[in-house]
Amino acid sequence: MIRKAGLSRRTGTPWVTWTILGICGTVFLIGPASGLNPFYGTGTGLLSAQSEYFERWGVVPQELWHSPPLALTAPLTALFVHGNWVHLLGNMLFLFVFGAMTEARMGRTDFALCYLVTGYLALFGYAAVHADSSRTLVGASGAISGVLGAFLHLFPRARVTSLFPFLFFLPLRFPAWAVLLFWFVLQWLATGTDAGRPGVAYLAHVLGFCLGFGYAWVSRTRAATVSSRGTPPGPPAGTGDKPT
């Protein structure tokens, strides 16, 4: 749906965004889901390897609560694993479009923490709500939804070029708040399809988006507070320049 967001000023290289893109792409290419690594074989052998791979590095809600504490790292590793080419390219497109501007505004450290924390909690929250599900969760969708939420808080009036199928894919420009809130409502309405069936974990999208918006709000408020405390005091009364 979204093609690109306009950037009104030059920024430094978005190293965190590019690093995440590189890691996700590399992990996918060397894993069994890409179908390009001969180590995993072909046919039924490949399908079996894919299933085992997703269970090892992804999140299985039913097993998360009955496994050793080390299993709690699963929501983190799952952020870098994708199920197929469409899954990978769709997520990376959204990160490419919205990640650079968000990283430039938040700073690299805050952006990296926002991505990892919101992504982890989005998958963990889904697993908590669907604790009896045996469905394996993989993908960066929760983290990227967090980036979208942060973008909405930081750039609500940015113009976004969007392609809507029901408008014959005409490229139209809308404020970011309108596009992202429309996307959020669609995800919210779709959470009813999450109940244990294969498909998209929409609840993780909703949780990630809300967490990302909240993280950006807290981060920006904290930065503003630190900045105001560090501002040098003005000249004492009566000592400022006066007209002569």
Side-chain angles (χ1 to χ4, degrees):
M1 181 180 68
I2 296 172
R3 199 176 79 187
K4 70 173 184 176
L7 183 60
S8 59
R9 60 185 179 83
R10 296 178 65 86
T11 62
T13 303
W15 290 113
V16 176
T17 299
W18 285 110
T19 299
I20 294 170
L21 289 169
I23 292 175
C24 288
T26 301
V27 168
F28 181 78
L29 290 175
I30 65 177
S34 69
L36 300 178
N37 190 339
F39 174 80
Y40 293 103
T42 59
T44 57
L46 177 61
L47 293 177
S48 177
Q50 290 174 350
S51 179
E52 293 177 5
Y53 184 83
F54 295 148
E55 289 182 6
R56 179 179 180 182
W57 300 110
V59 177
V60 182
Q62 195 176 56
E63 299 177 1
L64 188 63
W65 313 109
H66 307 289
S67 301
L70 186 61
L72 294 177
T73 61
L76 185 62
T77 59
L79 295 179
F80 301 96
V81 178
H82 290 83
N84 53 52
W85 284 95
V86 173
H87 190 201
L88 172 75
L89 296 177
N91 277 343
M92 295 304 99
L93 174 62
F94 272 81
L95 179 61
F96 175 78
V97 170
F98 293 99
M101 288 179 68
T102 307
E103 180 180 346
R105 179 63 61 87
M106 296 182 73
R108 291 170 184 164
T109 301
D110 257 346
F111 178 76
L113 287 174
C114 178
Y115 185 90
L116 295 174
V117 171
T118 59
Y120 182 97
L121 292 179
L123 289 176
F124 192 88
Y126 181 97
V129 173
H130 300 286
D132 296 329
S133 174
S134 60
R135 170 184 176 189
T136 304
L137 303 175
V138 295
S141 301
I144 294 171
S145 297
V147 172
L148 299 184
F151 186 95
L152 176 61
H153 177 74
L154 298 171
F155 302 100
R157 291 184 292 273
R159 307 293 292 183
V160 178
T161 301
S162 307
L163 302 176
F164 293 93
F166 55 84
L167 294 178
F168 305 102
F169 294 96
L170 293 175
L172 303 174
R173 289 180 68 80
F174 297 96
W177 67 264
V179 174
L180 293 178
L181 287 180
F182 176 73
W183 176 88
F184 176 80
V185 170
L186 291 181
Q187 306 307 302
W188 175 263
L189 293 175
T191 55
T193 66
D194 273 347
R197 296 196 298 271
V200 180
Y202 292 104
L203 179 60
H205 298 182
V206 171
L207 292 173
F209 188 90
C210 294
L211 290 166
F213 187 93
Y215 190 102
W217 180 78
V218 171
S219 176
R220 199 171 186 185
T221 301
R222 184 180 69 245
T225 301
V226 171
S227 177
S228 64
R229 289 177 178 175
T231 301
T239 63
D241 293 337
K242 296 181 179 180
T244 57

